Amino acid sequence: MDDRLERNKRTVKDFYDPMFNQCKPREAIERYAGATYRQHNPHVADGKEAFIAYFEKMAKEYPGKRVHFKKVFAEGDYVILHCHQEWPTDKDRDWAGIDIFRLDDNGKIVEHWDVLQVVPKPSANGNTMF
């Protein structure tokens, strides 16, 4: 089971980097997604082509966007990424995100959930969001 969890974590990170950082969503989805792709982000439709269209548009609108993986967890068929996102249009704000992926038995991504929030400047504690 440990080998499968490590494989799934590696697959998700290997998918996310070209999809987001390198602005190559078609390459990422063709290489790492399963036969179907189900999306729970309300701004992105289900299916591989809808995913590609959405992220190709984002690549044009937000060149230079970056994600940094802070934590990666895996359990069963699920991988969770805790990420720091940088957006060139929001240089004065940082973003914290959680992405949840479900992989099939072949280690391919078939489902995705996410939440994203601005990291507030003032904090009620001395801890970071990362």
Side-chain angles (χ1 to χ4, degrees), residues 88-107:
T89 55
D90 271 337
K91 290 189 183 289
D92 60 331
R93 298 192 296 180
D94 287 329
W95 294 80
I98 300 285
D99 288 273
I100 304 169
F101 295 89
R102 185 174 65 84
L103 290 81
D104 65 16
D105 290 339
N106 297 315

Side-chain angles (χ1 to χ4, degrees), residues 6-25:
E6 290 305 314
R7 175 202 68 187
N8 287 350
K9 290 193 303 189
R10 186 174 54 253
T11 295
V12 168
K13 291 190 298 184
D14 288 350
F15 165 78
Y16 211 114
D17 182 60
M19 177 275 292
F20 198 88
N21 292 339
Q22 299 175 37
C23 300
K24 297 177 182 177

Side-chain angles (χ1 to χ4, degrees), residues 32-104:
Y32 298 105
T36 61
Y37 184 80
R38 187 172 183 190
Q39 181 62 253
H40 295 273
N41 180 321
H43 301 289
V44 186
D46 278 338
K48 294 179 189 179
E49 287 303 318
F51 174 91
I52 292 165
Y54 180 84
F55 282 97
E56 283 180 345
K57 182 179 179 212
M58 280 187 60
K60 290 177 185 165
E61 292 176 0
Y62 305 102
K65 64 188 180 353
R66 294 283 306 163
V67 67
H68 306 278
F69 307 126
K70 297 299 184 178
K71 296 174 187 69
V72 182
F73 305 95
E75 182 175 335
D77 295 331
Y78 293 88
V79 173
I80 302 167
L81 295 179
H82 181 208
C83 302
H84 172 214
Q85 292 186 7
E86 297 175 21
W87 293 81
T89 55
D90 271 337
K91 290 189 183 289
D92 60 331
R93 298 192 296 180
D94 287 329
W95 294 80
I98 300 285
D99 288 273
I100 304 169
F101 295 89
R102 185 174 65 84
L103 290 81
D104 65 16

